[in-house]
Amino acid sequence: MASEQAPLPFGYTFAAGAIAGVSEILVMYPLDVLKTRIQLQTGKPTAGADHYNGMLDCFKKIVKNEGPSRLYRGITAPILMEAPKRATKFAANDKWGKFYRDLFGQQQMTQGLSVLTGASAGATEAFIVVPFELVKIRLQDKASAGKYNGMVDVVVKTVRNEGLLAMYNGLESTLWRHILWNAGYFGCIFQVRQLIPKAETKKGQTINDIIAGTVGGTVGTIFNTPMDVVKSRIQNTIKVPGQVPKYNWAWPAVLTVFKEEGFGALYKGFIPKVLRLGPGGGILLVVYTGVMDMFRKMRDERLGKQL
């Protein structure tokens, strides 16, 4: 198993995380667009073109009314974000894991340390992704389609109209979202790997990683979807001087959504989100593990030539 082998320097874990992240987003991005559209929808769905009665209805209406290319609108920001985001996720998880093992005097990772490590890695990751997430959300929203001409235009107009710090709108909710997802993701990966038979072949290891990563991604999504809903709304809110935004802080925003729209609204966009991040979590883990194994092989071959 990759986690039991000799550790590689930080640069290798960072590069492997970056490759894994970009691979996942290229495959799963349209589901993220569907998720965001549904999350930004307030009130009860109607039969109009601007309202969606679920994931399939959202997909059909986007393709019919806006064209298939709209399913990839805003992908530049996530692509630019995915390398540092996923790289930071795995590299930070590796570093925090070593820190906590030393802090608590543990030779091996435990279930509790896996959850704590994942949460810490999620908090670290959140600081990287907030500006990219804000750009992505505003490009994905149909109401913003005529406001921005692309990623750079979003940044310019946001900074000009709302101030530089507006690029970090939603930082608190993003912190909660990533802490909850990563705690569930890495905690479940540890637990699932303990429960399933240890792989004896490379193919078996890949299957185990798919299972562990998919379970981890699904559980993480169940934990963090309410925070993802309010994060989307917070980041899509234009700050107006002198006005207190309806969605501002994470937990009060959760309460507002619950009071006005019911508990189910906190899980808007859950199906496309879990369809992306469940299998997406498996893709991440498989690619990351595969790239790390390749790096180890290259290192070992290089060391062998030097002997």
Side-chain angles (χ1 to χ4, degrees), residues 19-62:
I19 294 170
V22 172
S23 300
E24 185 271 340
I25 199 170
L26 289 173
V27 175
M28 311 299 285
Y29 185 75
L31 288 169
D32 190 64
V33 174
L34 301 181
K35 180 235 10 169
T36 300
R37 288 288 186 93
I38 295 171
Q39 287 181 343
L40 293 176
Q41 180 173 268
T42 59
K44 294 183 178 180
T46 67
D50 294 334
H51 288 268
Y52 311 113
N53 295 299
M55 182 183 72
L56 291 178
D57 185 53
C58 182
F59 176 81
K60 291 177 182 177
K61 286 179 177 176
I62 289 176

Side-chain angles (χ1 to χ4, degrees), residues 161 239-243:
N161 299 328
K239 292 294 181 70
V240 178
Q243 293 185 12

Side-chain angles (χ1 to χ4, degrees), residues 254-268:
V254 168
L255 186 60
T256 297
V257 173
F258 174 75
K259 285 182 175 179
E260 294 184 354
E261 303 173 54
F263 177 79
L266 292 171
Y267 278 85
K268 282 187 173 182

